[in-house]
Amino acid sequence: MRIGLLLFDDVDLLDVGGPYEVFLTASRLAERDGHPAPFEVITIGDAPVTAYGGMGLVPTHRVGDVESLDVLIVPGAIAIDRVMGDPAIMDAAARLVGRADLTASVCTGAFVLGKLGMLAGIGWTTHFEDVQDLAALIGSDRGVVSPWVDEDSIVTAGGLSSGIAMALHLVERLAGRDLAVRTARQLQYAWDPKLREYVAVALAWFGDGGRDALHAYERRVQPLVEEHGGTVDLILEPSSVTGWDGLPPDEIHVLAFPDARAFDAYVSDPRRADLSSLRSEGVDRTIVLLGHRSRSF
């Protein structure tokens, strides 16, 4: 798969360098395992450029020489108004978008996509300080503060280092979660692959068997959750629950799954039925909250 990064003067270096390193590292790890490199990474521009702060960058390919891309990445800039006002940059972006199967932006690069009319009717993000400005520019109320937003053929990332998180997401999407997780580990970058987890939060009160029975049940449940791609977090002995009218729960369980389908598969797993007696002994009653976790704020 061919990944192209558009270069221009005053580009934010991390917007380019972050995704660049992610895809290069993913390919290096694949090759180290004896597999073909999944990504070819190129930089695109018609002349050497100077990034914000003064570092020089030399493109590997001219705009007119790029016939097709699997992914185009449009980085941002501090002076994004100047970028949008430069006909050469906007023309290059428009031409490359037309040759790419998927277009992604980093930080204020979303302004370029917005000006090209690519964000109409879909969700998007940009640097948290600029969400309102971009919303006003394109007349959209779909902007959120998030590490990235994936709308199939359009993916937008938040500010600066979010380009790394978004690129890891694209590695997962295009080459699998295992390679993405290993790439993040190799980069020593803290990354949550399950950005939009489906979560079950259970408030639990001990049954007749008390704490030991509940923990025995939890130990049997955890492998089932993990088989379905989920994780289990426990809050033990919450001392109080603000606003709670009555005896607070003895424990709070947070079960997180990649999506609702994975959660439903866990719930319908026949092995859970085999644990019904252990569950009834360990848990007197529960209150369960279901929904999608949001990273917006």
Side-chain angles (χ1 to χ4, degrees), residues 14-15 106-108 125-128 146-147 157-164:
L14 188 55
D15 289 10
V106 182
C107 197
T108 55
T125 191
T126 185
H127 192 279
F128 69 89
S146 179
L160 295 169
S161 67
S162 289
I164 301 175

Side-chain angles (χ1 to χ4, degrees), residues 23-45:
F23 290 113
L24 283 185
T25 300
S27 287
R28 177 163 58 88
L29 292 176
E31 289 181 310
R32 196 167 72 181
D33 292 341
H35 304 299
F39 305 111
E40 174 197 7
V41 188
I42 65 174
T43 53
I44 308 169

